[in-house]
Amino acid sequence: LHRQLRANALRDRDGVALIDGARELSRFRSVVAAVALARALRADWAGQASIGLLLPPSLGGALANLAAAFAGRTAVNLNY
């Protein structure tokens, strides 16, 4: 999924990728935000193949899932 989003972002930067209520992110901004989040959490995720995410279903939750994918980790969404 993350590879397809990246490919789509290269073809159509302004296409909408994520919507949460009144907020929306373009494909390009979604990829940039997810990669930035993955880089910021790289040290915290070191040595872990799976990442537990305790986030509501939202734009931030979707970005965290994409960040895990870009970091080569498996996202495990936990039910709060």
Side-chain angles (χ1 to χ4, degrees):
L1 180 65
H2 66 290
R3 290 184 186 120
Q4 187 63 47
L5 177 64
R6 182 183 170 274
N8 288 341
L10 292 174
R11 276 188 268 130
D12 179 18
R13 294 175 58 123
D14 297 325
V16 176
L18 300 172
I19 298 175
D20 179 12
R23 299 178 301 171
E24 62 182 44
L25 280 180
S26 69
R27 292 174 179 165
F28 182 76
R29 285 181 175 241
S30 297
V31 170
V32 169
V35 170
L37 184 58
R39 288 182 179 175
L41 294 171
R42 184 181 306 166
D44 294 330
W45 291 351
Q48 299 179 38
S50 299
I51 305 300
L53 297 174
L54 184 61
L55 295 169
S58 62
L59 194 122
L63 286 176
N65 276 278
L66 285 170
F70 277 116
R73 307 294 194 270
T74 301
V76 178
N77 292 288
L78 305 171
N79 187 355
Y80 59 96

